[in-house]
Amino acid sequence: MSRPPVAVGRVRPRAALGALGVLWRFSRPHTLIGTSLSIVALYAIAASLDRASGAADLLWTLLAGACVNVFIVGINQVEDVEIDRLNKPWLPIAAGELSLEAGRRIVALAALAPLAMAVTQGVAELVAVTVALAIGWAYSCPPLRLKRYPAMAAGSITFVRSLVVNLGVWLHVAGTPIGAGVWALTLVTVPFSFAIAVLKDVPDIEGDRRFGIATFSVRLGPRPVLAVGVGALTAAGVGMGIAGPLVLHQADPIVLVAGQLVGVAVLWRWALRVDSADPVAFAGFYQRVWQLFFGEYLVVTAAYLLG
């Protein structure tokens, strides 16, 4: 039996902790952590090169990034309530823990707040925020609803995660020129983001097929998609392990190579054990891929700080 929906603005003090938990799950924590870690890592690299802006600017950037993230994942939940009741029934709106109206208000606030902040923070942040919000809207909402087209869906997620986040944050906190480490992170997050974009749909085949969302998983099946995702992640790790020490002269090469080798080995251990036909097991594998995404930023940042 579902819980009564949370109506934002009417939550009693005794229910505040529960309401915060609902909002936390509405934000899709793994994506929020990924966005925040990306911002902190880029700022740390800029600081190691004596190019970072003030600490207060980091906090404002984190807040803006969190808001954009909530908008993107939130608008998708607002638009996909019926699909989520099949694919992800634990999400707050699908589970009846958050009302649709409250979800819409959260999404509206999450869009307006970073735009208001970006207006005072400079052109780079304003452009990055605007582009990310626009792509997030186009991905989930009609008439475009890009998630219906596999290539466009994967391209949208990849573009925001690799280019908009990395280059937008760097230009805001460090300015030009763009450092070699930032270009390296941008390039390595392209296959990472693509893998995340295609693997996330594997556990959702049933609901996506029923509602006419022709993802790669629906069209090809789970095993080929798993192979594509693992191949992209392997290429990212091997590529960074080989090219990183050659081009990132201010980073520790041992940390770079060791980090990539460990990441690829762990990936293959997980991939060989997962049952791609089991939605629950594959959802767990998908969450582990996000851990590798987090690790990529940690490894590159550590290599710069120790270099």
Side-chain angles (χ1 to χ4, degrees), residues 35-129:
T35 298
S36 301
L37 184 59
S38 301
I39 293 170
V40 172
L42 290 162
Y43 186 89
I45 293 173
S48 74
L49 302 174
D50 296 322
R51 293 181 55 187
S53 54
D57 190 44
L58 171 61
L59 295 178
W60 284 114
T61 305
L62 282 168
L63 180 57
C67 287
V68 172
N69 195 97
V70 170
F71 171 82
I72 292 174
V73 299
I75 194 67
N76 189 66
Q77 292 173 67
V78 167
E79 293 293 330
D80 283 4
V81 177
E82 295 302 321
I83 299 177
D84 286 340
R85 284 174 179 155
L86 284 174
N87 290 342
K88 302 179 181 72
W90 59 87
L91 290 178
I93 297 179
E97 296 177 294
L98 185 70
S99 70
L100 187 58
E101 293 73 19
R104 288 178 176 139
R105 290 197 294 272
I106 294 169
V107 166
L109 180 61
L112 293 174
L115 284 172
M117 286 186 282
V119 167
T120 66
Q121 296 297 309
V123 174
E125 183 170 327
L126 180 59
V127 171
V129 165

Side-chain angles (χ1 to χ4, degrees), residues 34-290:
T35 298
S36 301
L37 184 59
S38 301
I39 293 170
V40 172
L42 290 162
Y43 186 89
I45 293 173
S48 74
L49 302 174
D50 296 322
R51 293 181 55 187
S53 54
D57 190 44
L58 171 61
L59 295 178
W60 284 114
T61 305
L62 282 168
L63 180 57
C67 287
V68 172
N69 195 97
V70 170
F71 171 82
I72 292 174
V73 299
I75 194 67
N76 189 66
Q77 292 173 67
V78 167
E79 293 293 330
D80 283 4
V81 177
E82 295 302 321
I83 299 177
D84 286 340
R85 284 174 179 155
L86 284 174
N87 290 342
K88 302 179 181 72
W90 59 87
L91 290 178
I93 297 179
E97 296 177 294
L98 185 70
S99 70
L100 187 58
E101 293 73 19
R104 288 178 176 139
R105 290 197 294 272
I106 294 169
V107 166
L109 180 61
L112 293 174
L115 284 172
M117 286 186 282
V119 167
T120 66
Q121 296 297 309
V123 174
E125 183 170 327
L126 180 59
V127 171
V129 165
T130 303
V131 170
L133 291 174
I135 293 176
W137 173 85
Y139 177 86
S140 295
C141 298
L144 296 179
R145 201 159 164 75
L146 299 180
K147 66 181 298 176
R148 295 176 297 170
Y149 313 105
M152 294 295 292
S156 298
I157 295 171
T158 302
F159 183 78
V160 172
R161 279 279 167 202
S162 58
L163 293 175
V164 177
V165 172
N166 290 316
L167 299 185
V169 170
W170 179 266
L171 290 172
H172 174 63
V173 302
T176 55
I178 298 173
V182 181
W183 286 117
L185 274 174
T186 301
L187 290 175
V188 78
T189 53
V190 168
F192 255 95
S193 300
F194 172 77
I196 286 171
V198 297
L199 292 173
K200 75 179 183 64
D201 297 320
V202 171
D204 300 339
I205 289 177
E206 179 185 351
D208 288 341
R209 182 182 290 120
R210 184 175 300 184
F211 285 89
I213 307 296
T215 63
F216 284 121
S217 298
V218 169
R219 292 187 175 190
L220 303 177
R223 290 186 66 84
V225 170
L226 172 63
V228 169
V230 171
L233 293 170
T234 302
V238 172
M240 178 63 90
I242 295 173
L246 299 178
V247 299
L248 305 182
H249 304 297
Q250 294 171 303
D252 188 311
I254 296 177
V255 173
L256 279 175
V257 174
Q260 302 307 319
L261 290 177
V262 169
V264 171
V266 169
L267 165 68
W268 275 90
R269 182 172 182 270
W270 290 339
L272 291 173
R273 293 185 174 190
V274 69
D275 180 1
S276 59
D278 182 344
V280 175
F282 201 94
F285 171 75
Y286 171 70
Q287 291 296 323
R288 294 187 183 98
V289 169
W290 273 95

